[in-house]
Amino acid sequence: MTVRVNGRVVTPTGVVRQGCVEWDGDRITAVAEYPSVRDGHWILPGFVDMHTHGGGGHTFTTGDADQARAAAGFHLAHGTTTLLASLVSAPFPVMRAATEAFAPLVDEGVLAGVHFEGPYLSAARCGAQNPEYLRDPSTDELTELIELGRGAIRMVTLAPERDGALEAIKLLTTHRVVAAVGHTDATYEQTRAAIAAGASVGTHLFNGMRPVHHREPGPVVALLDAPTVICELVADGVHLHDGVLTFTTATAGPDRAALITDAMAAAGMADGEYELGGQAVTVTDGVARLARDGAIAGSTLTMDAALRHAVHAGIPMADAARMVATTPARAIGLGDRVGALQVGLRADLVVLDDDLNVVRVLRGGSWVE
């Protein structure tokens, strides 16, 4: 049975101010003008969060399936219809256990995959990663995780200057796992070598990276300059100044800039004491920081809040919609399934009011209660 929703439809090519989206079952069947509509709500593709550690008081970082299901449900209510479960640096047994626990959730469709942010990261740029667990990339570990996950592992963030990083990137890309550059003190040249080896994502660009210098551009410039790389941005006004957010978006373009939450368990919760990867985190005025040194410890963002922040910073709605859905879906290899209001893709959409607050969420052709 064909179902329709009318309003201001944001498509990959622009905004249809008098439009409709139709679906039958779990597939979009039509996106068209609908002249009898007068304005109405915004209709955007379901959001795709390629980097989140939890939310609603629940975390992905412990590898607990019940926690993961609850965290995914929290973000779904905020319009995120596709997300990766991001873990932080941990001992290999924890990585194995998380892979085993989350693979069934990927098969079920609760998660789109697993993202290991670490442990193959720079100690000098570890940020909120636990320095005790950082180590050089291991192709043996990665091979075991890939085989164990049976397709569940979708992205791994590593620092290209660590020994064995280029071999690890080549292994990942051979198995269609996205290799991301992040938490790195790499030089411009080392980052370029990682990109040449197959790295295709910059993990929360600027954050946890050697800063830009006019005589040593470092990883930021190398990642921004590479046409094959999609750059993650945390649009919360804390991780990045709004001027950097808009500059980076203008430089890379919305097809190479992806908004992420980098959210941890405190997203949607009150200020207070939390933990991230076994480290104490204090949340004050919605900003999460490590108790030990004040480093930013993820965020309390949701994707709808990231969209609102980007639009209020001056990014046009059509571009912002690509950045919260189409671009991240393509970054993690799901652009042929989700991420746009386009015929044949899964019927995922978010209805927003004039203030860009979530009114309703549709996932797979069914409205979320």
Side-chain angles (χ1 to χ4, degrees):
M1 180 181 71
T2 299
V3 187
R4 174 190 300 133
V5 63
N6 303 325
R8 288 167 283 180
V9 179
V10 184
T11 74
T13 56
V15 178
V16 181
R17 299 202 70 84
Q18 296 172 284
C20 73
V21 180
E22 295 182 351
W23 64 93
D24 190 349
D26 67 349
R27 298 287 131 184
I28 296 173
T29 55
V31 180
E33 291 189 33
Y34 202 75
S36 65
V37 173
R38 291 293 178 267
D39 288 324
H41 291 313
W42 289 101
I43 303 172
L44 274 66
F47 306 145
V48 179
D49 193 353
M50 57 192 283
H51 187 157
T52 177
H53 300 286
H58 310 285
T59 185
F60 294 124
T61 61
T62 58
D64 181 277
D66 291 336
Q67 288 270 320
R69 190 182 295 276
F74 165 79
H75 285 289
L76 178 59
H78 287 270
T80 299
T81 53
T82 301
L83 90 169
L84 299 186
S86 299
L87 291 101
V88 292
S89 297
F92 185 62
V94 174
M95 300 171 74
R96 268 191 59 95
T99 302
E100 289 181 312
F102 291 168
L105 298 183
V106 175
D107 292 339
E108 188 181 333
V110 174
L111 305 175
V114 175
H115 165 216
F116 285 112
E117 187 184 13
Y120 315 124
L121 308 174
S122 163
R125 304 290 174 187
C126 65
Q129 300 281 337
N130 193 327
E132 293 181 17
Y133 301 137
L134 303 184
R135 55 190 185 273
D136 290 334
S138 165
T139 53
D140 288 342
E141 288 184 357
L142 290 170
T143 298
E144 187 172 343
L145 292 172
I146 291 167
E147 292 175 352
L148 187 64
R150 307 182 314 278
I153 310 303
R154 193 157 284 274
M155 185 162 69
V156 176
T157 296
L158 45 73
E161 71 272 24
R162 294 208 71 133
D163 289 344
L166 297 187
E167 291 78 6
I169 291 170
K170 292 172 184 176
L171 172 72
L172 291 168
T173 54
T174 296
H175 289 88
R176 297 186 177 182
V177 177
V178 176
V181 172
H183 286 282
T184 175
D185 200 40
T187 63
Y188 176 84
E189 290 76 17
Q190 288 171 322
T191 308
R192 295 266 297 180
I195 295 165
S200 59
V201 165
T203 293
H204 45 51
L205 196 73
F206 295 99
N207 299 115
M209 291 185 180
R210 176 192 291 230
V212 176
H213 188 278
H214 57 284
R215 286 189 294 272
E216 170 42 67
V220 172
V221 174
L223 293 164
L224 266 180
D225 193 45
T228 57
V229 171
I230 289 174
C231 299
E232 296 180 349
L233 301 169
V234 187
D236 63 354
V238 176
H239 283 74
L240 301 173
H241 187 283
D242 285 354
V244 174
L245 173 67
T246 55
F247 166 79
T248 304
T249 301
T251 301
D255 290 329
R256 289 189 47 233
L259 298 187
I260 61 166
T261 64
D262 195 17
M264 46 90 72
M269 304 296 287
D271 287 355
E273 305 302 315
Y274 296 87
E275 71 88 31
L276 180 66
Q279 299 186 100
V281 173
T282 300
V283 177
T284 305
D285 296 328
V287 179
R289 295 185 181 274
L290 286 187
R292 62 175 166 83
D293 62 6
I296 296 173
S299 84
T300 60
L301 262 185
T302 52
M303 286 296 273
D304 57 326
L307 174 80
R308 286 191 295 273
H309 191 100
V311 171
H312 292 158
I315 296 173
M317 171 63 89
D319 290 349
R322 298 223 300 275
M323 294 165 68
V324 294
T326 314
T327 301
R330 196 176 79 255
I332 57 176
L334 297 176
D336 59 343
R337 305 182 209 174
V338 298
L341 298 179
Q342 186 174 312
V343 173
L345 298 192
R346 195 173 74 191
D348 295 349
L349 59 83
V350 185
V351 180
L352 304 174
D353 64 18
D354 286 341
D355 295 322
L356 306 185
N357 295 309
V358 174
V359 177
R360 298 185 80 185
V361 179
L362 184 85
R363 186 177 191 276
S366 298
W367 292 108
V368 175
E369 296 297 331

